[in-house]
């Protein structure tokens, strides 16, 4: 049985994002929101919401139970001032908590994630089955010799 650990993360996230486009809706404000305090502009990707939701689903499955604060730390970046004036060393800034929270709420409404009281978010049984199914398809489509040992 193929799991999320048996396929490359980028290929899995791409495939999950394509599947999530049919299942969840993107909020109107996403195209105007920055992805964190360390960013100057919003993301330029057309499918940013679905890619971030897929990435969050994978992170929750790997690190469950996990909370918003820890996820914001993982999706953060260095804040170094504006692009023109870098006058001091950069400091780590967290990712957008609203973006993460809203995405997790949408995934929870879809039944892929559950809330563990006082602990954070966990992957549901449906979410685990969904990720395993997508990972199996990705694994079958991969033509990489270094992954043959998993077959």
């Amino acid at each position: 049985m193929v799991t999320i650990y048996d396929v490359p993360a980028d290929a899995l996230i791409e495939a999950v994002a394509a599947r999530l486009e049919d299942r969840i809706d993107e909020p109107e404000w996403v195209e105007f929101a920055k992805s964190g305090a360390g960013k100057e502009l919003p993301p330029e990707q057309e499918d940013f919401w679905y890619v971030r939701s897929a990435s969050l689903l994978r992170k929750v499955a790997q690190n469950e139970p996990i909370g918003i604060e820890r996820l914001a730390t993982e999706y953060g970046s260095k804040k170094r001032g504006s692009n023109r004036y870098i006058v001091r060393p950069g400091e780590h800034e967290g990712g957008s908590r609203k973006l993460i929270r809203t995405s997790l709420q949408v995934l929870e409404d879809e039944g892929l994630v559950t809330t563990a009281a006082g602990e954070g978010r966990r992957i549901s049984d449906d979410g685990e089955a969904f990720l395993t199914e997508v990972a199996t398809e990705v694994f079958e489509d991969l033509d990489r010799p270094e992954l043959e040992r998993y077959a």
Side-chain angles (χ1 to χ4, degrees):
M1 182 166 104
V2 179
T3 64
I4 61 172
Y5 302 104
D6 298 332
V7 294
D10 56 345
L12 179 67
I13 290 171
E14 193 175 299
V16 170
R19 286 244 189 130
L20 285 177
E21 285 185 26
D22 300 332
R23 293 182 73 165
I24 63 175
D25 295 325
E26 176 182 32
E28 298 96 28
W29 53 264
V30 169
E31 61 184 277
F32 306 111
K34 298 190 310 179
S35 62
K39 304 292 183 181
E40 279 193 53
L41 298 171
E44 294 180 358
Q45 284 179 302
E46 289 293 323
D47 61 344
F48 168 75
W49 175 257
Y50 303 107
V51 171
R52 178 59 60 98
S53 296
S55 177
L56 280 167
L57 187 62
R58 181 179 166 273
K59 281 213 185 274
V60 169
Q62 282 185 323
N63 304 317
E64 62 182 351
I66 188 167
I68 304 282
E69 287 296 318
R70 189 159 147 218
L71 287 168
T73 301
E74 290 190 25
Y75 284 102
S77 62
K78 270 197 174 189
K79 184 170 186 176
R80 304 187 60 160
S82 72
N83 285 335
R84 287 187 272 171
Y85 307 109
I86 300 175
V87 294
R88 66 180 212 181
E91 295 177 359
H92 186 270
E93 290 287 333
S96 172
R97 287 160 183 80
K98 179 176 175 72
L99 194 69
I100 293 169
R101 188 178 309 109
T102 306
S103 180
L104 287 174
Q105 287 170 350
V106 169
L107 291 172
E108 198 169 345
D109 290 342
E110 194 61 34
L112 302 173
V113 174
T114 60
T115 302
E119 295 179 346
R121 299 298 204 297
R122 291 183 180 273
I123 194 85
S124 68
D125 292 337
D126 293 339
E128 187 72 35
F130 174 72
L131 284 175
T132 302
E133 178 184 332
V134 174
T136 303
E137 288 181 9
V138 168
F139 188 78
E140 290 171 357
D141 292 342
L142 286 177
D143 185 31
R144 295 180 56 184
E146 66 268 12
L147 297 176
E148 285 184 13
R149 64 176 177 229
Y150 296 114

